[in-house]
Amino acid sequence: MLIRIVPKADMVNNLGNNNFTVRCWKFPYGMAVPGVPTGRYSDGLIFTDFLASFMGIDTPLPYTKWNNLSKRRVTNGMNFAHGGTGVFDTWMKEGNMTTQMNAFKQYIADGVYNKSDLNESIAVVSNAGNDYTQYYAVDNGTHEGYRAFVAKVIDQLELNLREIRKTGVKKVVMLTMQPLGCLPNEARTLSYKKCDKHLNGDTSFHNTLLEKIVQRLNSETTDSPFHILDLYSAFMSVINKQAGEGTSSEFVKPLLKPCCTPTALNALCGSVDANGVKQYTLCANPNDNLFWDLYHPTQSGWHTISSALKPSFDELMQCNIFSRRPSASASFGSGNKY
């Protein structure tokens, strides 16, 4: 999950909070950005970089970089995200959303952010589906029990949204979950040409329940502080447009094939064998691919998806908004898969 508090911050390479042993800190991740890998699960920038640019602010810093400044009021944004985490615990050892929220609350208690900061802030909350990967792939969950598990995830998300609002954050924005059936890991059984409709149906069920809890939360308030940003529809609008027959496409086909493709069983993008031999291939130009690896878009892909979402975000920023441009934003969420 991820939390983000974002007043103006200098653009830095170190975006991620995950430790340096995970794949996103190693080549070929971050190859589009000069210098060392950035901790982003992509070849370059990702959705939250573009979202920050929509707000007229720079990409927020990881909260782990501020550990020694917790008693000092920080004027820069913070990112509490850990890729691979979820609403509940997953295979990742990093803290789940509740743990991230507690870190955020501690910063408030320590005076890093004051009431005025929170009143001019946005919380962006994301659930990328890692809870469902944990349910199926790790815990051997059944399809019969899936909907009951979704209800548990949504119930916890509702509690988390309430807690975020209690901190004093002015606006809480919840992202719908991206179409999991269109991620290359699922589409490869369909030659990377089509999305898994069954899995997309499961994703839509999650998103429908999510929208209902946001409506319920707003019905309990007078200022409707909770909002939905439809990441699912943004993904699908790009995929449907790019895949359309007889239309020009900025991305190569098959559309859902990743730039960084594993070449060995159980290998992932960036994997090497005991002799250091690569177990993946790279496309000629990541800008030509919508997806970077089995789970995440390229920088170019995220730019196109984010652009599709920008009109909705601009409308959200104009309605029931602050007396001035937000000085901070906070995001709670997770990265896709690993």
Side-chain angles (χ1 to χ4, degrees), residues 15-294:
L15 175 74
N17 282 304
N18 285 5
N19 65 56
F20 292 98
T21 64
V22 297
R23 292 182 302 115
C24 59
W25 286 106
K26 301 174 183 178
F27 185 85
Y29 287 87
M31 60 182 289
V33 181
V36 298
T38 66
R40 297 166 172 86
Y41 281 97
S42 181
D43 64 313
L45 303 181
I46 59 174
F47 172 71
T48 43
D49 294 300
F50 294 110
L51 186 65
S53 72
F54 296 163
M55 298 172 64
I57 55 181
D58 293 327
T59 297
L61 297 174
Y63 84 101
T64 50
K65 302 298 184 291
W66 292 109
N67 283 346
N68 296 325
L69 301 175
S70 59
K71 293 294 184 181
R72 169 182 163 187
R73 183 177 180 275
V74 180
T75 57
N76 292 331
M78 284 190 197
N79 169 19
F80 292 79
H82 288 282
T85 60
V87 175
F88 301 122
D89 290 339
T90 66
W91 65 93
M92 291 293 291
K93 302 303 181 184
E94 310 293 349
N96 61 24
M97 182 184 252
T98 300
T99 302
Q100 295 170 30
M101 288 167 52
N102 288 339
F104 176 44
K105 291 177 182 178
Q106 187 60 53
Y107 271 61
I108 296 172
D110 289 341
V112 178
Y113 289 100
N114 60 35
K115 183 177 180 180
S116 177
D117 295 324
L118 297 172
N119 193 51
E120 297 292 339
S121 299
I122 294 177
V124 180
V125 185
S126 165
N127 183 337
N130 296 311
D131 292 288
Y132 302 123
T133 300
Q134 177 74 26
Y135 173 76
Y136 276 124
V138 182
D139 297 337
N140 298 314
T142 64
H143 185 66
E144 291 73 19
Y146 170 78
R147 292 203 166 199
F149 182 70
V150 174
K152 289 178 60 177
V153 172
I154 294 297
D155 286 346
Q156 185 60 48
L157 269 174
E158 180 175 357
L159 293 175
N160 291 346
L161 292 175
R162 290 181 184 277
E163 287 299 308
I164 295 169
R165 175 59 175 163
K166 287 179 182 178
T167 65
V169 173
K170 181 78 170 181
K171 189 181 292 289
V172 183
V173 178
M174 185 75 219
L175 298 175
T176 59
M177 199 159 61
Q178 77 278 16
L180 299 182
C182 295
L183 301 184
N185 185 59
E186 305 301 332
R188 58 181 167 180
T189 61
L190 300 169
S191 301
Y192 298 114
K193 295 179 180 179
K194 296 181 180 180
C195 302
D196 184 320
K197 291 183 178 180
H198 179 78
L199 189 52
N200 275 358
D202 286 347
T203 308
S204 294
F205 178 70
H206 166 98
N207 289 337
T208 297
L209 295 188
L210 179 64
E211 291 172 359
K212 288 181 178 179
I213 68 166
V214 168
Q215 292 171 1
R216 180 164 64 246
L217 289 169
N218 279 331
S219 71
E220 299 172 2
T221 68
T222 57
D223 56 349
S224 298
F226 300 95
H227 300 264
I228 288 281
L229 261 185
D230 197 352
L231 186 61
Y232 181 98
S233 292
F235 260 86
M236 292 308 301
S237 68
V238 170
I239 290 171
N240 290 335
K241 180 180 179 180
Q242 296 289 317
E245 296 297 331
T247 61
S248 60
S249 173
E250 65 181 283
F251 299 114
V252 297
K253 297 180 180 179
L255 186 64
L256 305 181
K257 184 177 181 179
C259 172
C260 188
T261 307
T263 57
L265 185 65
N266 297 325
L268 296 166
C269 177
S271 294
V272 296
D273 65 16
N275 297 316
V277 177
K278 296 178 181 177
Q279 294 182 306
Y280 62 92
T281 60
L282 285 175
C283 64
N285 183 2
N287 288 335
D288 293 335
N289 286 67
L290 178 61
F291 284 97
W292 166 246
D293 62 13
L294 292 175

